[in-house]
């Protein structure tokens, strides 16, 4: 039964995700690699049914929320500062890679016309940033490199899908250069304009909603409201979703209440983790089915095409980066935008361009009009994804360390400086309130002692970091963490005893328990 097959696949995905998470922590390997490899291993289990993921499920089910989440949390100042590198990668490199891959495929597979070759090139040209950014953030790579990779991945999906749509239209005949130029303008400008409209409307609606659950529902519906109608009318759903997410994310001040922000952040963190994990596992599971049919070609042809295309997508990207991006020199502020991006940084960004499930989804969307070569092209796309993901991602940690680009304490130092400034501002404001008799002395003294204790702790951590740089990655003094943890556990024990004795209810138990969660030193982002 279909329900039984669906349950087995769901169970397999859940087991693989849990196992990959456990191994990732032990092996210090990016989740994405383990998810794909374990998914492939699970795919060859005889009892597991064959998995064929409809491309519509990826493009319409997975892609909109992932794009929206990434765009919503894009750093606007950093993105503006690196607009030229992002633009040249997302549009220039994507176009060059598409053409280079198309020429390679056209030479190796003569039966594939130029339109089919360009459609295939568009499928394998966009990058998947999950594995690369996970490695870089974990090791403490320069934030600018992470920003460039994330910004590129947000836009290059739209650029690749635009080229893919034009190539598919060319397969049906009647395509001219003039028609292509008009369609590009329609797809890009239409998607961006519609995205701004959705962002403006959703931001206005959310101003009138105070319930956190309702805010989450609206936020979850937003990427689909942006993507699906845009895609239906023939404009870029990717650019519409990215535009809406960026607009709302950069203009959220005063729209979301603190409770809504806390609940929404937790919800989206879990949702994106589940979507990304499921996507990589399904990619691994599906490879078994794709390997069964090499499109009527010999495995020697499959291996040669895979090697050639993989070499092109990797080589073109590295050469583009080491050449400093030819298009960058032609853009306003181009030479200035490249300052601080030396050969080391450009090499890492060049090798950080792994392909992912989006490439496979686009390849699976190749129409039957491609002809007998369609099966071969889909298989090669899947193998290129596997080669770039499993082959490149493990190199990044080694490369970052060898090139001296690891900065593990940078973000923690920034956080400490920000906390220090914030606490000092709070103490100054408290003094003003006390001087104006806006707060009684007893209340002011209680808050003053609390703020001074926190400020003293921050000073201690900053001083300790300056004295002992190697200890910067620790989350505070080990003795302090142990004491703090014991105090939190003592409060939890007393809280549970009060509940057992009937002195407090379940609501109070949960409320105080949440407050203790924020104080627990094992909680990410816990109070200092």
């Amino acid at each position: 039964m279909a329900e039984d097959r669906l349950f087995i696949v769901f169970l397999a995905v859940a087991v693989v995700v849990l196992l990959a998470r456990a191994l990732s922590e032990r092996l210090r390997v990016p989740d994405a690699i383990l998810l794909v490899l374990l998914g492939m291993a699970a795919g060859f289990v005889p009892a597991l049914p064959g998995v064929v993921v409809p491309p519509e499920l990826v493009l319409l089910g997975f892609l909109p929320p992932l794009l929206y989440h990434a765009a919503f949390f894009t750093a606007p100042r950093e993105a503006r500062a690196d607009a030229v590198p992002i633009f040249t990668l997302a549009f220039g490199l994507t176009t060059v890679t598409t053409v280079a891959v198309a020429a390679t495929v056209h030479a190796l597979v003569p039966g594939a016309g130029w339109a089919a070759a360009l459609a295939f090139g568009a499928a394998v040209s966009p990058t998947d940033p999950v594995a690369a950014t996970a490695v870089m953030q974990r090791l403490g790579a320069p934030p600018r490199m992470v920003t460039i990779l994330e910004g590129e991945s947000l836009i290059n999906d739209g650029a690749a899908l635009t080229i893919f749509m034009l190539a598919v239209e060319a397969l049906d005949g009647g395509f001219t250069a003039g028609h292509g130029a008009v369609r590009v303008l329609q797809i890009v400008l239409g998607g961006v304009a519609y995205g701004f409209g959705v962002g403006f409307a959703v931001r206005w609606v959310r101003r009138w909603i105070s319930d956190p659950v309702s805010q989450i529902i609206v936020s979850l519906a937003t990427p689909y409201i942006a993507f699906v109608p845009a895609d239906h009318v023939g404009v870029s759903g990717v650019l519409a979703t990215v535009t809406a997410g960026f607009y709302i994310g950069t203009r959220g001040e005063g729209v979301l209440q603190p409770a809504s922000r806390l609940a929404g952040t937790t919800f989206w963190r879990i949702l994106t983790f589940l979507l990304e994990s499921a996507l990589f596992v399904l990619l691994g599971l599906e490879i078994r089915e794709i390997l069964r049919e090499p499109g009527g070609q010999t495995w020697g042809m499959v291996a040669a095409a895979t090697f050639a295309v993989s070499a092109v997508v990797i080589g073109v990207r590295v050469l583009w980066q080491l050449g400093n991006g030819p298009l960058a020199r032609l853009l306003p502020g181009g030479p200035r935008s490249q300052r601080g991006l030396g050969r080391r940084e450009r090499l890492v960004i060049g090798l950080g361009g792994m392909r992912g499930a989006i490439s496979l989804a686009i390849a699976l969307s190749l129409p039957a009009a491609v002809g007998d070569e369609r099966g071969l092209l889909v298989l090669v796309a899947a193998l290129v994804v596997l080669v770039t993901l499993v082959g490149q991602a493990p190199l990044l940690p080694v490369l970052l360390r060898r090139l001296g680009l690891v900065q593990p304490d940078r973000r923690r130092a920034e956080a400490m400086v920000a906390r220090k400034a914030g606490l000092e501002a709070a103490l100054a404001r408290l003094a003003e309130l006390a001087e104006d008799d806006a707060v009684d002395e007893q209340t002011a003294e209680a808050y003053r002692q609390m703020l001074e204790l926190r400020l003293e702790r921050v000073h201690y951590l900053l001083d300790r970091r300056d004295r002992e740089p190697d200890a910067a990655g620790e989350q505070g003094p080990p003795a302090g963490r142990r004491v703090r943890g014991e105090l939190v556990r003592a409060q939890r024990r007393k809280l549970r005893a009060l509940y057992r004795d009937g002195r407090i209810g379940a609501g109070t138990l949960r409320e105080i328990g949440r407050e203790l969660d924020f104080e627990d030193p094992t909680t990410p982002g816990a109070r200092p």
Side-chain angles (χ1 to χ4, degrees):
M1 294 179 63
E3 293 83 358
D4 295 337
R5 291 167 57 88
L6 186 62
F7 172 75
I8 293 173
V9 172
F10 173 79
L11 188 61
V13 170
V15 170
V16 169
V17 170
L18 292 174
L19 185 58
R21 287 289 292 173
L23 291 176
S24 176
E25 292 297 324
R26 289 177 175 271
L27 302 177
R28 310 296 292 175
V29 174
D31 293 351
I33 298 175
L34 293 174
L35 289 167
V36 172
L37 292 178
L38 292 174
M40 286 180 59
F44 287 96
V45 174
L48 194 67
V51 176
V52 178
V53 183
E56 295 81 6
L57 176 62
V58 176
L59 294 177
L60 298 180
F62 287 80
L63 189 57
L66 292 176
L67 287 172
Y68 178 80
H69 175 263
F72 186 92
F73 287 102
T74 297
R77 176 173 56 84
E78 289 83 349
R80 283 196 301 270
D82 289 313
V84 172
I86 291 172
F87 179 86
T88 56
L89 284 170
F91 290 101
L93 179 58
T94 298
T95 303
V96 171
T97 302
T98 299
V99 174
V101 170
T104 303
V105 170
H106 191 265
L108 290 174
V109 189
W114 274 107
L118 283 169
F120 174 80
V124 297
S125 62
T127 57
D128 188 310
V130 176
T133 54
V135 171
M136 291 185 177
Q137 289 174 340
R138 178 185 294 174
L139 293 176
R144 188 180 182 190
M145 294 167 57
V146 179
T147 299
I148 292 173
L149 283 171
E150 288 181 337
E152 174 200 5
S153 68
L154 283 175
I155 304 173
N156 65 10
D157 289 338
L161 283 168
T162 299
I163 299 173
F164 181 82
M165 292 168 63
L166 294 174
V168 169
E169 290 181 13
L171 283 169
D172 298 330
F175 186 87
T176 63
H179 169 75
V182 171
R183 286 291 291 136
V184 168
L185 290 176
Q186 289 176 344
I187 292 169
V188 174
L189 297 181
V192 172
Y194 178 69
F196 271 121
V198 171
F200 181 82
V202 170
R203 180 171 177 265
W204 182 84
V205 169
R206 294 182 72 169
R207 282 184 175 276
W208 304 98
I209 300 176
S210 58
D211 174 41
V213 176
S214 299
Q215 286 277 14
I216 290 175
I217 293 172
V218 173
S219 71
L220 182 59
T222 301
Y224 295 102
I225 294 173
F227 190 97
V228 176
D231 187 67
H232 182 71
V233 300
V235 300
S236 176
V238 171
L239 293 179
T241 307
V242 169
T243 302
F246 187 79
Y247 179 85
I248 298 171
T250 55
R251 289 164 174 78
E253 191 68 29
V255 176
L256 299 179
Q257 296 77 24
S260 297
R261 279 198 297 270
L262 286 172
T265 300
T266 302
F267 170 81
W268 277 97
R269 182 183 295 124
I270 296 172
L271 178 65
T272 53
F273 166 74
L274 292 176
L275 290 175
E276 290 170 352
S277 301
L279 205 52
F280 281 117
V281 176
L282 290 173
L283 171 62
L285 291 172
E286 189 169 10
I287 284 179
R288 181 186 75 174
E289 297 300 310
I290 296 174
L291 289 173
R292 287 182 174 178
E293 298 183 12
Q297 302 287 342
T298 64
W299 284 107
M301 171 60 75
V302 172
T306 301
F307 176 81
V309 173
S310 300
V312 168
V313 297
I314 296 171
V316 167
R317 183 180 179 89
V318 172
L319 290 175
W320 178 277
Q321 278 299 105
L322 292 180
N324 211 15
L327 188 59
R329 301 192 187 98
L330 305 177
L331 298 175
R336 177 166 36 86
S337 70
Q338 300 297 312
R339 294 172 186 166
L341 289 177
R343 295 181 68 85
R344 297 180 306 161
E345 290 82 1
R346 294 199 298 273
L347 178 61
V348 173
I349 293 174
L351 289 174
M354 285 80 78
R355 272 59 183 174
I358 302 303
S359 290
L360 183 57
I362 299 176
L364 287 169
S365 301
L366 286 168
V370 170
D372 297 336
E373 287 74 20
R374 182 184 182 279
L376 172 65
L377 296 179
V378 172
L379 176 57
V380 171
L383 294 176
V384 168
V385 169
L386 191 62
V387 168
T388 57
L389 185 62
V390 179
Q392 287 178 257
L395 294 177
L396 288 180
V398 178
L399 199 60
L400 284 168
R401 293 191 181 98
R402 289 287 180 88
L403 297 177
L405 294 174
V406 177
Q407 303 171 347
D409 62 331
R410 179 189 180 105
R411 188 168 180 178
R412 177 172 170 76
E414 288 183 355
M416 285 299 167
V417 171
R419 288 190 179 110
K420 176 176 177 291
L423 290 169
E424 289 173 346
L427 282 168
R429 180 56 180 158
L430 182 62
E432 292 174 0
L433 292 172
E435 186 176 347
D436 296 340
D437 294 327
V439 61
D440 62 89
E441 184 57 35
Q442 185 176 0
T443 302
E445 183 60 26
Y447 276 100
R448 187 179 299 111
Q449 290 181 9
M450 178 188 69
L451 293 171
E452 287 175 347
L453 283 172
R454 290 186 178 177
L455 185 59
E456 183 179 348
R457 175 178 171 78
V458 170
H459 277 298
Y460 173 84
L461 293 175
L462 287 171
D463 292 343
R464 185 168 181 266
R465 173 182 170 273
D466 293 336
R467 294 194 309 269
E468 307 172 54
D470 293 339
E474 300 177 10
Q475 298 294 319
R481 281 174 58 83
R482 286 196 299 271
V483 171
R484 192 171 163 199
E486 288 296 329
L487 295 178
V488 169
R489 284 189 285 274
Q491 293 177 77
R492 290 190 192 281
R493 288 194 295 269
K494 186 62 177 178
L495 192 63
R496 288 193 293 268
L498 292 173
Y499 178 71
R500 286 195 303 268
D501 295 341
R503 297 171 63 182
I504 61 174
T508 302
L509 175 70
R510 286 191 292 268
E511 180 183 352
I512 305 302
R514 282 194 298 269
E515 293 178 6
L516 292 175
D517 287 341
F518 282 105
E519 299 290 344
D520 196 313
T522 62
T523 301
R527 294 168 184 163

